[in-house]
Amino acid sequence: MTKDELALAPLNDLKLEVARVGKLIPNSKFYLFGSAVTHPKACPDFDVLAVADTHEDQMRVFDEMHDLCSTWPIDLLVMSPAEEAECNFVRAQSCQPLFPPMLAADFVS
């Protein structure tokens, strides 16, 4: 594995896991933010926001993502839609969608 491939391994695993978990938990959304967005080639970790409707779904996100977050330097933040809207986190932190895949026009709203 090359140095570049090794550097991208956490992100590749993250994308696969988010797609898997996103399909298990209806209406969940996952975003990447922080240094992985602002300085992708020099980020020490991956900050991920998960937005899930119910407390049960939020806890399931933690449970499902636990192994991946223990393997790679991934910091997982989970919010309800109301919490995210209250602080406008996605826009304020310039979050980039991971799941579900969105068109840029959908994201700008």
Side-chain angles (χ1 to χ4, degrees):
M1 187 177 283
T2 69
K3 184 178 178 182
D4 287 342
E5 289 172 334
L6 187 58
L8 290 176
L11 185 57
N12 292 335
D13 286 355
L14 175 61
K15 288 178 180 179
L16 291 171
E17 188 67 358
V18 161
R20 183 188 72 79
V21 175
K23 290 174 185 171
L24 291 174
I25 302 171
N27 301 318
S28 61
K29 295 178 181 163
F30 291 82
Y31 301 89
L32 190 64
F33 68 99
S35 59
V37 172
T38 59
H39 300 94
K41 291 187 177 184
C43 67
D45 64 357
F46 296 87
D47 298 306
V48 175
L49 167 67
V51 179
D53 289 341
T54 67
H55 179 71
E56 180 181 283
D57 287 345
Q58 293 164 24
M59 297 311 297
R60 189 165 180 203
V61 167
F62 279 119
D63 290 343
E64 294 290 339
M65 298 286 292
H66 174 72
D67 288 346
L68 183 72
C69 293
S70 297
T71 301
W72 296 113
I74 295 172
D75 296 325
L76 179 63
L77 172 63
V78 179
M79 293 182 168
S80 69
E83 291 168 327
E84 188 286 319
E86 182 178 324
C87 61
N88 201 14
F89 193 89
V90 169
R91 185 171 297 273
Q93 295 298 315
S94 301
C95 295
Q96 297 298 307
L98 286 170
F99 185 89
M102 296 180 190
L103 298 172
D106 294 338
F107 187 68
V108 173
S109 62

